């Protein structure tokens, strides 16, 4: 029992270390990982090498699965473009296992010492990221050493009929059962690295043989493919991508299981230890999957499209494009993706204002009601973004991350308020105009349209300010606010001092439209003040 508990502790340490390492690399790379993936994936070969590079930088099958699924779900990339990235990432993820196979356990205390010094005492976020990565690698080596020590203590005793011996004997005689067990373990832990690291640790003293190691490698790879499928199941295109990836791995795994003895004999010829042979088999398996799959990307995706059809013709349920719970342990990546979701909400709000104005011009009742229903989408995104940021960015994270979290929450709250103004006030004015049969004069239309165009421009500039934190754009937004305030006062004063116009039936609607457009602009420009106060604390907040 003590042996099992010790090995379990070693597994837990490896699993924690892999996730801690991922968070450290997130600090270094941040949301640029997703940006690079989208930018470089337009070509099949380039996408393949992009996947390798990204997975080496961020060695987490969970992160890679969530990234590719998010890109497909948001329609930034299609499944044909993303499958080569996934094939490359499968290879890149093996780099960590190769590093583990070098048996650098003695370096663990040094790595942990360097990691603590950099992570605990450095102010620079990148330096802290390097320190966190060193800690992660050091913890992996400690976990492997713990498992090796426990299994060595077991093999040195005479209890050959113990539970562990019986389990290993059954697994060795039934490779299919071992394959299912390894697949289940990798799926449950959401980490092929942790699963294979366990096998490498047990193989160091002969507890696990090479053929058994190959079966576990095969199962671990199926487990990560199943994880990707779980992430992408709800979205049709993501599901097709994940099934294509799983099918390609399954073909190679079936071939390996049918030639297990030959594969083991071939690897045994290499002048390396069993640990290195197992690690190389992990790389080789994914390399074969890529060699088979890369030339067949187009046919494979065409086949999945043919076989996996939409189950219903109804419109899919609306929800976030980019948010996924897999990023709860990656604050920097989480902030990058939540920023995209906030911009998604901004896009919907701009569309609401544009459609509202079209409905006003064309007396379109149906379009006005459609604008009202769009506000529900903004409310949904605001709630999901708030929940996602609250759960992914905890109070113990970096001050910069907390500040960025608050900036995003403030801006999405402003967008939600603007959506409410459009829904509760402006749509009512449009419907009132249509119901009363009121028509604006060409002069009135020109005035209102001039004001509307400037508010729309400010709403677009605010999105750019939020995304770039540009002081120049922020100052431009505030300058627009001052100009718009002068324009609103001039138009209002002209109407109120013109007896003919102030008594017209359109007057109250005209003035109310100006009032609510001005309210929208007030909320829009707050992002400019927030940006300037963030980059320059002496800037006056309005």
């Amino acid at each position: 029992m003590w042996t099992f508990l010790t090995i379990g502790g070693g597994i837990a340490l490896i699993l924690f270390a892999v996730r801690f390492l991922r968070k450290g690399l997130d600090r270094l790379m941040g949301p640029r990982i997703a940006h690079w993936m989208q930018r470089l994936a337009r070509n099949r070969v380039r996408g393949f090498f992009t996947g390798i590079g990204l997975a080496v930088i961020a060695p987490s099958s969970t992160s890679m699965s969530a990234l590719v699924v998010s890109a497909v779900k948001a329609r930034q990339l299609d499944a044909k473009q993303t499958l080569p990235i996934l094939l490359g990432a499968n290879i890149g993820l093996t780099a960590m296992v190769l590093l583990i196979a070098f048996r650098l356990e003695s370096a663990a205390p040094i790595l942990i010492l360097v990691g603590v010094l950099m992570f605990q005492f450095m102010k620079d976020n990148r330096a802290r990221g390097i320190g966190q990565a060193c800690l992660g690698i050091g913890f992996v080596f400690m976990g492997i050493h713990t498992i090796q020590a426990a299994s060595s203590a077991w093999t040195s005793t005479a209890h050959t009929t113990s539970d562990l011996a019986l389990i290993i004997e059954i697994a060795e005689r039934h490779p299919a059962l071992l394959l299912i067990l390894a697949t289940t373990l990798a799926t449950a832990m959401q980490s092929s690295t942790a699963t294979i690291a366990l096998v490498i640790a047990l193989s160091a003293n002969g507890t696990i043989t090479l053929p058994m190691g190959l079966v576990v490698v095969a199962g671990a790879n199926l487990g990560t493919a199943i994880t990707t499928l779980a992430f992408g199941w709800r979205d049709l295109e993501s599901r097709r991508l994940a099934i294509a990836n799983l099918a390609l791995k399954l073909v190679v795994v079936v071939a390996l299981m049918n030639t297990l003895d030959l594969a083991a004999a071939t690897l045994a010829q290499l002048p390396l230890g069993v640990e290195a042979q197992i690690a190389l088999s992990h790389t080789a398996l994914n390399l074969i999957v890529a060699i088979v799959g890369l030339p067949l990307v187009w046919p494979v995706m065409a086949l999945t499209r043919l076989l996996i059809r939409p189950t219903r013709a109804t419109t899919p349920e609306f929800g976030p494009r980019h948010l996924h719970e897999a990023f709860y342990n990656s604050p920097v990546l989480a902030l990058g993706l939540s920023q995209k979701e906030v911009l998604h909400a901004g896009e919907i709000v701009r569309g609401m204002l544009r459609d509202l104005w079209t409905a006003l011009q064309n007396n379109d009742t149906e379009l006005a009601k459609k604008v009202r229903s769009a506000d529900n989408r903004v409310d949904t995104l605001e709630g999901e973004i708030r929940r996602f940021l609250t759960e992914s960015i905890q109070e113990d994270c970096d001050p910069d991350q907390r500040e960025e979290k608050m900036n995003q929450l403030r801006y999405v709250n402003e967008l939600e308020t603007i959506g409410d103004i459009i829904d509760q006030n402006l749509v009512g004015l449009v419907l009132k105009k249509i119901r009363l049969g009121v028509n604006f004069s060409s002069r009135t239309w020109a005035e209102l349209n001039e004001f509307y165009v400037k508010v729309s421009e400010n709403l677009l500039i605010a999105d750019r300010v939020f995304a770039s934190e540009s002081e120049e754009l922020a100052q431009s937004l505030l300058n627009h606010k001052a100009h718009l305030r002068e324009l609103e006062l001039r138009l209002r004063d002209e109407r109120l001092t013109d007896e003919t116009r102030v008594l017209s039936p359109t007057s109250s609607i005209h003035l109310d439209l100006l009032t609510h457009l001005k309210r929208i602009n007030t909320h829009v420009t707050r992002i400019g003040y927030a940006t300037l106060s963030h980059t320059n604390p002496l800037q006056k907040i309005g």
Side-chain angles (χ1 to χ4, degrees):
M1 177 59 72
W2 185 256
T3 300
F4 282 114
L5 290 175
T6 305
I7 291 175
I11 294 171
L13 186 55
I14 292 172
L15 190 59
F16 169 78
V18 170
R19 294 186 177 180
F20 199 70
L21 171 63
R22 181 183 69 185
K23 292 175 71 173
L25 294 170
D26 284 349
R27 289 179 185 273
L28 290 173
M29 309 310 301
R32 286 174 290 179
I33 293 177
H35 173 71
W36 289 343
M37 182 179 70
Q38 294 164 23
R39 184 177 179 182
L40 298 173
R42 305 301 175 182
N43 175 276
R44 177 170 31 176
V45 175
R46 192 165 59 180
F48 171 71
F49 285 105
T50 298
I52 294 176
L54 291 178
V56 171
I57 293 171
S60 167
S61 55
T62 303
S63 285
M64 292 308 304
S65 297
L67 276 174
V68 295
V69 167
S70 296
V72 173
K73 186 179 178 182
R75 301 300 180 256
Q76 295 164 333
L77 295 171
D78 59 34
K80 287 188 294 187
Q81 293 171 316
T82 313
L83 184 55
I85 297 176
L86 206 50
L87 294 175
N90 291 336
I91 297 173
L93 288 169
T94 68
M96 186 64 186
V97 173
L98 291 171
L99 182 62
I100 291 171
F102 280 112
R103 299 190 64 179
L104 302 175
E105 294 87 354
S106 59
I110 299 173
L111 286 168
I112 292 173
L113 174 62
V114 172
V116 167
L117 291 175
M118 297 187 72
F119 180 67
Q120 198 71 22
F121 301 107
M122 292 285 190
K123 299 290 187 181
D124 181 70
N125 204 42
R126 289 191 176 184
R128 297 193 73 209
I130 294 172
Q132 195 166 353
C134 290
L135 280 171
I137 296 172
F139 290 153
V140 168
F141 291 151
M142 283 187 64
I144 290 174
H145 179 71
T146 300
I147 294 170
Q148 287 175 344
S151 58
S152 296
W154 168 77
T155 54
S156 65
T157 66
H159 302 298
T160 56
T161 59
S162 67
D163 291 340
L164 185 57
L166 183 60
I167 291 172
I168 291 176
E169 182 183 349
I170 293 172
E172 195 167 16
R173 285 192 286 109
H174 301 281
L177 183 62
L178 179 59
L179 179 70
I180 294 172
L181 180 62
T183 302
T184 304
L185 186 62
T187 303
M189 295 197 300
Q190 295 186 357
S191 174
S192 60
T193 302
T195 305
I196 298 172
L198 168 64
V199 174
I200 288 175
L202 291 174
S203 67
N205 49 37
T207 306
I208 293 288
T209 62
L210 179 57
M212 293 176 66
L214 295 182
V215 174
V216 173
V217 165
N221 278 277
L222 288 180
T224 57
I226 291 172
T227 299
T228 305
L229 180 60
F231 285 161
W233 184 259
R234 292 185 178 181
D235 179 72
L236 178 63
E237 193 70 3
S238 301
R239 193 189 316 156
R240 288 168 174 163
L241 167 69
I243 288 177
N245 178 56
L246 177 58
L248 289 171
K249 283 197 172 187
L250 191 58
V251 167
V252 177
V253 166
V254 169
L256 173 62
M257 294 299 291
N258 283 285
T259 58
L260 190 59
D261 293 336
L262 177 62
T266 302
L267 283 169
Q269 300 301 315
L270 299 175
L272 300 169
V274 177
E275 312 97 292
Q277 292 168 358
I278 292 173
L280 283 175
S281 73
H282 183 36
T283 303
L285 186 148
N286 285 286
L287 190 58
I288 293 170
V289 171
I291 292 171
V292 171
L294 202 57
L296 300 176
V297 167
W298 271 218
V300 167
M301 291 313 307
L303 182 60
T304 58
R305 193 172 294 275
L306 181 65
L307 296 176
I308 306 168
R309 297 175 178 272
T311 55
R312 294 183 299 175
T314 55
T315 304
E317 183 181 353
F318 177 80
R321 291 178 177 177
H322 306 279
L323 308 183
H324 200 290
E325 62 184 13
F327 294 100
Y328 283 172
N329 293 318
S330 304
V332 181
L333 279 176
L335 285 169
L337 294 176
S338 60
Q339 183 190 68
K340 290 185 178 181
E341 203 64 63
V342 174
L343 293 173
H344 178 203
E347 182 183 349
I348 295 174
V349 170
R350 293 200 310 274
M352 288 176 64
L353 187 58
R354 181 179 61 250
D355 290 345
L356 180 283
W357 207 251
T358 301
L360 182 68
Q361 289 177 311
N362 300 332
N363 292 329
D364 190 334
T365 302
E366 291 303 316
L367 184 57
K369 292 179 179 178
K370 181 181 175 183
V371 170
R372 177 162 281 171
S373 65
D375 183 52
N376 294 331
R377 295 189 169 195
V378 178
D379 293 342
T380 297
L381 290 183
E382 191 270 343
E384 290 294 325
I385 291 168
R386 181 162 23 87
R387 180 185 63 81
F388 179 78
L389 286 173
T390 301
E391 294 182 8
S392 60
I393 313 298
Q394 304 295 332
E395 290 303 315
D396 58 349
C397 66
D398 286 350
D400 288 344
Q401 292 173 350
R402 288 199 301 272
E403 180 62 27
E404 177 61 22
K405 167 187 171 180
M406 292 308 303
N407 284 340
Q408 293 189 15
L409 289 174
R410 290 187 197 105
Y411 189 49
V412 76
N413 181 254
E414 299 293 351
L415 290 173
E416 194 266 342
T417 302
I418 293 169
D420 288 342
I421 293 171
I422 296 172
D423 172 27
Q424 299 170 13
N425 301 109
L426 289 175
V427 171
L429 289 173
V430 171
L431 295 176
K432 179 180 177 182
K433 174 182 176 291
I434 296 171
R435 186 176 66 253
L436 296 178
V438 171
N439 290 313
F440 290 135
S441 67
S442 58
R443 178 182 174 185
T444 299
W445 266 121
E447 292 173 353
L448 287 172
N449 201 60
E450 180 184 7
F451 202 80
Y452 155 75
V453 168
K454 293 188 181 300
V455 172
S456 295
E457 289 176 351
N458 282 1
L459 194 52
L460 182 60
I461 293 173
D463 269 4
R464 300 295 178 266
V465 171
F466 169 73
S468 65
E469 294 191 350
S470 166
E471 290 188 46
E472 183 179 355
L473 280 176
Q475 192 60 57
S476 172
L477 183 63
L478 300 186
N479 293 339
H480 277 225
K481 178 187 177 182
H483 177 67
L484 203 62
R485 182 170 56 228
E486 294 173 3
L487 176 61
E488 187 264 344
L489 288 173
R490 177 173 62 79
L491 294 178
R492 186 179 294 276
D493 289 347
E494 285 179 0
R495 177 164 287 271
L496 292 174
T497 55
D498 188 330
E499 186 176 337
T500 302
R501 300 181 73 200
V502 80
L503 295 176
S504 71
T506 63
S507 184
S508 64
I509 296 177
H510 177 277
L511 292 173
D512 286 345
L513 285 170
L514 286 178
T515 296
H516 295 306
L517 286 173
K518 180 185 175 184
R519 286 178 61 201
I520 288 174
N521 194 65
T522 299
H523 289 285
V524 165
T525 51
R526 284 180 181 171
I527 191 62
Y529 287 117
T531 299
L532 289 178
S533 65
H534 178 61
T535 56
N536 180 8
L538 298 179
Q539 173 71 32
K540 180 182 177 182
I541 305 297

